[in-house]
Amino acid sequence: KAGVTQTPRYLIKTRGQQVTLSCSPISGHRSVSWYQQTPGQGLQFLFEYFSETQRNKGNFPGRFSGRQFSNSRSEMNVSTLELGDSALYLCASTSSTGPTLYGYTFGSGTRLTVV
Amino acid sequence: AQSVTQPDIHITVSEGASLELRCNYSYGATPYLFWYVQSPGQGLQLLLKYFSGDTLVQGIKGFEAEFKRSQSSFNLRKPSVHWSDAAEYFCAVGAPNAGNMLTFGGGTRLMVKP
């Protein structure tokens, strides 16, 4: 079966712009989580969506937002981009309702570069 | 709140040698523990997980990990390393009241010498 698909793979944006990243989970997975990965801060949890509802949110500013659609696909949006938002953004899905009984399946990520 | 420490940022081992990657966690109750591996430019792949029961868990690719409550550790081991094991390894902890949210350690980059 298809894995977790993230689009686009690479993105270059200018400071102050906004960006939308997309994630299609494995079929049947209702939980989608987003993580930011940077060399300095490592992997940090952004938020989790389950059945179109945000269940958990990490410690990120309000410029970071997300949503989940009825088909479980998810998007995350970053407004007013800053240089520090340059990172690999990883999406992960799981079929478990919690707590992570089956482990995540991760996508390959979207590499965002802010210039 | 839970936290994870991976004390070794880089480790180099010779091919065929044994491997142990360290992971220490901080959590008030029995945590849910995971090891993931990431190859360059890729997402993370689950190696193994621990929730309860037998403290020695087997994973994919010949890896195993042992949960030691008294030491708050969950070290990853492999008896004989292959060149293809070169990657970055992440330990992570989850909690029963945190949905599917994981807290990751900083990672250990493994290099394998021929």
Side-chain angles (χ1 to χ4, degrees):
Chain A
K1 59 184 177 183
V4 177
T5 303
Q6 292 188 246
T7 55
R9 284 297 308 273
Y10 302 93
L11 207 47
I12 300 176
K13 288 288 190 178
T14 303
R15 203 168 32 170
Q17 288 186 312
Q18 71 147 19
V19 66
T20 299
L21 312 182
S22 179
C23 172
S24 293
I26 289 175
S27 178
H29 285 193
R30 293 162 62 192
S31 168
V32 175
S33 297
W34 290 87
Y35 288 83
Q36 181 197 64
Q37 185 176 25
T38 60
Q41 299 298 316
L43 279 153
Q44 293 185 286
F45 174 78
L46 280 156
F47 26 66
E48 179 200 0
Y49 286 88
F50 184 85
S51 294
E52 302 179 65
T53 301
Q54 188 181 89
R55 287 210 300 184
N56 287 293
K57 189 176 192 307
N59 189 26
F60 278 82
R63 300 185 296 107
F64 292 81
S65 63
R67 59 177 175 169
Q68 186 180 33
F69 302 95
S70 58
N71 62 357
S72 293
R73 190 177 71 84
S74 177
E75 291 180 346
M76 67 163 281
N77 184 277
V78 188
S79 63
T80 320
L81 284 165
E82 300 177 0
L83 297 179
D85 298 332
S86 295
L88 180 66
Y89 289 89
L90 292 164
C91 169
S93 73
T94 179
S95 58
S96 66
T97 57
T100 336
L101 286 174
Y102 306 115
Y104 285 128
T105 299
F106 278 85
S108 297
T110 294
R111 172 74 62 185
L112 171 65
T113 302
V114 182
V115 297
Chain B
Q2 57 266 36
S3 66
V4 180
T5 301
Q6 292 179 248
D8 304 305
I9 297 175
H10 293 100
I11 282 185
T12 301
V13 300
S14 298
E15 190 168 18
S18 63
L19 171 70
E20 182 168 29
L21 302 182
R22 296 184 292 164
C23 171
N24 294 99
Y25 68 89
S26 174
Y27 183 64
T30 300
Y32 302 104
L33 295 162
F34 304 81
W35 276 99
Y36 283 86
V37 61
Q38 185 179 34
S39 297
Q42 298 299 312
L44 282 73
Q45 182 183 22
L46 178 66
L47 288 175
L48 46 77
K49 58 187 182 290
Y50 171 80
F51 293 114
S52 63
D54 193 349
T55 57
L56 185 64
V57 293
Q58 304 296 321
I60 62 171
K61 304 185 180 187
F63 286 93
E64 67 178 27
E66 186 171 12
F67 170 61
K68 292 186 177 180
R69 184 189 303 276
S70 61
Q71 298 176 21
S72 298
S73 69
F74 188 57
N75 294 349
L76 182 71
R77 300 194 294 249
K78 186 169 185 177
S80 178
V81 169
H82 188 262
W83 64 266
S84 60
D85 293 324
E88 189 151 21
Y89 292 79
F90 293 92
C91 181
V93 61
N97 61 347
N100 285 310
M101 181 181 78
L102 294 182
T103 299
F104 284 87
T108 298
R109 184 168 297 280
L110 172 66
M111 290 172 280
V112 181
K113 293 190 299 184

